[in-house]
Amino acid sequence: ALSNLSVIAIILQPLIGMTGFYAITFLEIGFVFLRVLKYKKIMINSYDLTFITFIFLTFVSKLYAMSQQTANYAIKELIISYMISFSIGEYINQKDEVNNEKKIITLFDTFVTSTTILSIYLLIFDLPRIIGTRDRLGRLLFDGYGTYIVFSYSLIIALCFLIWKIIYIKKTPCSLIELMIIFITSCLSGTRKVLVCFAIFSIFIFLYKYRKNALKTLKFISICAICIVLLYKIIITNEKLYKIIGNRIENMIESVMFEANVNDASINERNQLKTLAFQAFKEKPILGWGVNNFANYSLQHSGPFLYAHCNYLELLSTLGIIGTILYYSGYLWLIIKAFKHMKKNDKVSIFILFFLIMNLFADYETVSYSKIHYILIFVIFAKYLNKKEVTNEVNYK
């Protein structure tokens, strides 16, 4: 119960406040610590070891970081996020009659329900404020809580889990309603990557589900194409929707398809930051400029004081080749284990594998390595896959 309450605290952090967030999550950490002391046993998997080593490397990077203050902030966020995530994930390792599949689905159901509640709150109290403007849904609510971009992490994860659950587990009225609410919120949030990530993930799991049925695959592709065209027409022709997200989608398509110099401040700024991040990497390719210090490098080279807007370039510029390889080695372990269990018809592993693959595309536009939402689900993935491995070995013996 406390693990699920901690998941709620992560998603609804802007509503419950930092005091409530820390009270709930630290209570969870405390209970896990007491459990470890009682049983004198703790399960650490390969992903945990890799991520702990990665955190250690960030400490080492303080020795040469451009700014100790920005490095300290990232290290603190990494440690706290990992501790919270590890404690929540221990729910899967608890010995009881509930199987691993039900446990991980329960945690993600809680994640989705919390995201739905936050979506409804924003649709009621924030949407009237932004209609007819170019403002972003959740900007005021998330001011001081990582900006409205943090909300997009919840939307992406929730949408992907819901479509997987509907296709592979069970299509229920509740799941369909949640999907509709979160999808509408995603369209109104003005964040392009939410829709792109959802589309990529949906294509992956639909094609895998019906890989042996050419007719259903063709039908799916046709329906998706029609839906995408209709949705695009709606958000482009509706004046209010165009201001919220239509112009951003239009500029993104023009930038990708026609390589045009579009008049989109966000795209232009991202391109500038990526160019600077690659420049920073070339200057210090092995260890980088110190964790979370690309923003300082950017500022010194006439750029904005912002992260690179690309996980690969952010890691390469701040922790170099060593840090990037270390981070993605744990990610690769998750992919390999998920693929192994997916081949044995484990439905949860299908969700894990295709989410991880989708996120490799998303990482080109998102800095995810230090975000608690992603750390949480990767730790949960690791604990599920590791427990699956241990259980299979015991059953085999």
Side-chain angles (χ1 to χ4, degrees), residues 61-103:
S61 75
K62 277 172 52 65
L63 297 174
Y64 56 86
M66 299 175 69
S67 167
Q68 293 293 304
Q69 184 178 359
T70 51
N72 290 338
Y73 176 81
I75 293 170
K76 182 193 74 174
E77 291 295 303
L78 279 169
I79 292 174
I80 292 176
S81 297
Y82 176 71
M83 288 175 63
I84 293 171
S85 301
F86 183 89
S87 301
I88 293 172
E90 279 298 285
Y91 168 65
I92 294 175
N93 285 332
Q94 290 178 18
K95 293 182 179 180
D96 49 40
E97 296 180 357
V98 182
N99 63 41
N100 300 330
E101 288 80 2
K102 287 184 178 179
K103 286 180 178 179

Side-chain angles (χ1 to χ4, degrees), residues 13-15 118 121-122 125-130 133-151 189:
Q13 189 178 124
L15 295 182
L118 190 55
Y121 176 88
L122 289 172
F125 297 105
D126 200 37
L127 183 59
R129 180 184 64 83
I130 69 166
T133 73
R134 294 181 184 271
D135 203 354
R136 306 292 286 274
L137 192 68
R139 180 182 64 81
L140 294 181
L141 181 64
F142 280 87
D143 186 31
Y145 293 91
T147 77
Y148 57 85
I149 296 299
V150 172
F151 183 45
S189 71

Side-chain angles (χ1 to χ4, degrees), residues 126-359:
D126 200 37
L127 183 59
R129 180 184 64 83
I130 69 166
I131 290 295
T133 73
R134 294 181 184 271
D135 203 354
R136 306 292 286 274
L137 192 68
R139 180 182 64 81
L140 294 181
L141 181 64
F142 280 87
D143 186 31
Y145 293 91
T147 77
Y148 57 85
I149 296 299
V150 172
F151 183 45
S152 71
Y153 309 149
S154 299
L155 294 173
I156 291 170
I157 296 167
L159 283 173
C160 291
F161 174 77
L162 278 171
I163 197 67
W164 165 82
K165 185 180 178 183
I166 289 169
I167 294 171
Y168 283 93
I169 304 299
K170 188 177 182 180
K171 181 168 64 176
T172 64
C174 181
S175 297
L176 292 173
I177 292 171
E178 287 179 324
L179 181 65
M180 181 180 66
I181 292 172
I182 295 175
F183 182 76
I184 290 172
T185 306
S186 299
C187 291
L188 296 173
S189 71
T191 308
R192 294 168 290 211
K193 67 183 174 188
V194 176
L195 300 179
V196 172
C197 289
F198 179 53
I200 292 172
F201 180 82
S202 298
I203 291 170
F204 281 151
I205 63 165
F206 268 106
L207 292 181
Y208 184 78
K209 174 73 172 180
Y210 301 112
R211 63 193 182 281
K212 297 179 181 179
N213 191 320
L215 185 61
K216 282 192 175 182
T217 301
L218 182 61
K219 181 181 177 182
F220 163 71
I221 293 173
S222 301
I223 292 173
C224 282
I226 293 171
C227 290
I228 290 173
V229 171
L230 288 175
L231 181 62
Y232 179 73
K233 286 290 185 182
I234 291 171
I235 64 176
I236 291 296
T237 56
N238 183 283
E239 183 181 353
K240 292 180 179 179
L241 286 176
Y242 183 79
K243 286 183 178 180
I244 294 174
I245 191 172
N247 67 310
R248 294 171 56 76
I249 295 290
E250 188 177 50
N251 288 335
M252 180 185 71
I253 292 174
E254 289 180 3
S255 175
V256 173
M257 299 296 292
F258 307 110
E259 298 183 358
N261 293 319
V262 297
N263 186 25
D264 187 305
S266 175
I267 291 177
N268 294 334
E269 184 178 70
R270 286 169 181 265
N271 291 336
Q272 179 191 15
L273 288 165
K274 288 172 183 175
T275 300
L276 285 172
F278 188 67
Q279 177 182 310
F281 163 65
K282 289 192 295 183
E283 292 179 21
K284 289 189 176 183
I286 306 301
L287 290 172
W289 293 83
V291 65
N292 201 33
N293 267 259
F294 166 70
N296 294 289
Y297 177 92
S298 174
L299 192 63
Q300 288 187 4
H301 292 78
S302 303
F305 186 75
L306 291 170
Y307 51 88
H309 286 76
C310 172
N311 206 54
Y312 307 110
L313 290 172
E314 180 74 19
L315 286 171
L316 285 170
S317 63
T318 58
L319 294 171
I321 295 172
I322 293 177
T324 306
I325 291 176
L326 184 58
Y327 176 82
Y328 279 104
S329 63
Y331 200 97
L332 180 62
W333 180 85
L334 290 174
I335 289 177
I336 292 171
K337 292 298 180 182
F339 180 76
K340 177 181 176 181
H341 293 301
M342 185 186 75
K343 301 301 286 185
K344 296 178 181 179
N345 298 317
D346 179 53
K347 293 180 180 179
V348 173
S349 293
I350 294 172
F351 167 60
I352 294 173
L353 178 66
F354 289 125
F355 185 90
L356 291 170
I357 294 174
M358 176 278 294
N359 197 62

